[in-house]
Amino acid sequence: GLVRSGVDTLKHRDIISRLKSSDPGLNIGYIKLKLMIMIFKELNILSIEEIGYETYKFKIYYSTTKKSLDRSTLLRHLRSQLIRKG
């Protein structure tokens, strides 16, 4: 996994390389990663603290209940922008 024991320190380029797909269309770049982190923070799925240049400390909040991404205000806003332009 990306985060060991719920807490880990990683650079964003390390995260991106670990999420690299064999299909270039599925790769996650810096902007997508930042949006994902913002949404996960909003839903209280993780906390993130910048502890150095491009170095972040992540903490995953484990839960016995599922969190719905549809509850994210940011994600709903992004989806509405895509629908308007689509």
Side-chain angles (χ1 to χ4, degrees):
L2 267 177
V3 179
R4 297 179 305 257
S5 304
V7 179
D8 211 341
T9 303
L10 298 163
K11 293 188 177 284
H12 74 266
R13 68 176 168 262
D14 296 330
I15 299 168
I16 291 170
S17 75
R18 290 182 187 191
L19 296 173
K20 196 165 186 83
S21 171
S22 59
D23 180 348
L26 298 177
N27 284 330
I28 294 173
Y30 181 75
I31 301 298
K32 282 184 186 177
L33 177 62
K34 293 294 278 186
L35 289 170
M36 289 168 55
I37 289 170
M38 291 169 63
I39 291 166
F40 292 161
K41 282 176 61 175
E42 176 188 6
L43 295 174
N44 203 30
I45 294 172
L46 65 79
S47 69
I48 182 169
E49 174 187 357
E50 188 166 0
I51 59 173
Y53 178 70
E54 296 181 352
T55 304
Y56 304 93
K57 180 178 180 180
F58 290 86
K59 179 173 184 173
I60 304 273
Y61 298 117
Y62 292 101
S63 174
T64 56
T65 59
K66 277 185 154 181
K67 302 261 183 164
S68 173
L69 293 178
D70 293 328
R71 295 187 68 208
S72 167
T73 303
L74 174 60
L75 186 56
R76 283 196 311 266
H77 177 73
L78 290 171
R79 285 177 176 164
S80 73
Q81 294 295 315
L82 287 172
I83 291 169
R84 280 191 233 153
K85 293 183 182 200

